[in-house]
Amino acid sequence: MSRTDSFISAQKAVGTLGLMLYDLTAERCVYAYRADVPMRPASCMKLLSCIAALRKAGTRYEYRTRLYTAGRMEKDTLYGNLILKTQFDPFFNRDSLHVLLGTLKQKNIKAIKGKIVLDMAFIEPMNHEQHWTMGDLKVNRMGLIYHGYRKMRTETLYALQAIGAKVHKDSIVFGRLVPRKATQIGEIRTPIHFVVEKALKNSSNINAESLMYLLGYTVHTGGNFRKNGIVALRRFVSDELGMDPSKVCNIEDGCGLCPDDRLTPELLIALLNYAYKHPAIYNEVLASLPLSGTDGTLYDRLRKPNVLGKVRAKTGTLTREGGISTLAGYYTGNDGHLMAFCVMNNECPVMDGRWWQDRFCEKVLLPAMSRSAGHKKN
């Protein structure tokens, strides 16, 4: 592709460059430059976590946080246990807990003569990955479940006291629900779409990591869910993408904060192609990716009239290791072909990398564009 060659020659790439263009409609590679070299993806790692989670859990998956009773009622007193069963919902917060436990008031349960059982998939709070720096994990943005058992126990006590329920703090314990002996009285559901959208459009590290916890649970219901999640992501690369993980990636987390993460441009294109070939996943990913000059992390980028609203792509940014800036997503050419592209700039000032990527979209991709990037598949 002479236009790409000319651009790379004229606009010397800052830092180390990896690049690939792929015609999804024609199913052929249009251009590749160091596409098989593993590079730091920064937040483009979230594409892997989101697409793998949508595949494994399903696009219609819903996180369910449920409230059960096990015992008998006498007037306004429950003689038995109250069970709160949580999953991996990163949106479940203090307000959610108050709403769910408010069900007791609706059921006229004012006292509990038994245990309040917290049935949690994991009891330790989400911690920093070993290579993250202090401040990488925004604790105040974490869902209540990811604060761990102690925080959940305290907040449960406060929520019960707020509705006037008579309970003793020592009655709140960790345990496992026996479904046959319990009756569900309340539930809060969160579609996986909201988690994927937050991870891609707003580049939420917490939401991306929560997806890897969910993936880790499919590997093993106990243990370290981040480590189990890495196993699940590597299996996705090998089993679903048909690529050798040892050659195309190194995965240390689900969000791309770790500077030891590596993905090849070829792998990112394979992910975008995989999503495209699975319409339900594609529609979720497309709706969740930032739109050029319009929303998410592309709100203030690619705003020139000839590119505005025509590129949907995931951004990646890290100031470590000399600077990392990446961009990968979709656009549509004037021949009606849907294209996937990936640009990775490593070891360069972030703003220089963004400038190069934006000019690339405007000078190389844009002449082949005339319509919106968003086309849903049926």
Side-chain angles (χ1 to χ4, degrees), residues 134-153:
M134 293 303 297
D136 277 340
L137 191 63
K138 306 296 183 184
V139 175
N140 62 328
R141 299 180 186 177
M142 289 167 56
L144 184 56
I145 294 163
Y146 290 90
H147 284 267
Y149 167 68
R150 290 187 178 181
K151 180 69 171 178
M152 179 67 82
R153 187 173 183 269

Side-chain angles (χ1 to χ4, degrees), residues 49 52 209 211-220 224-236 251 253-254:
S49 299
E209 285 297 294
L211 289 170
M212 200 162 83
Y213 272 55
L214 177 62
L215 284 165
Y217 190 79
T218 68
V219 173
H220 193 280
N224 186 307
F225 289 109
R226 181 179 284 126
K227 289 183 178 179
N228 293 343
I230 290 172
V231 172
L233 290 177
R234 289 178 63 86
R235 287 179 182 174
F236 179 84
I251 304 169
D253 60 23

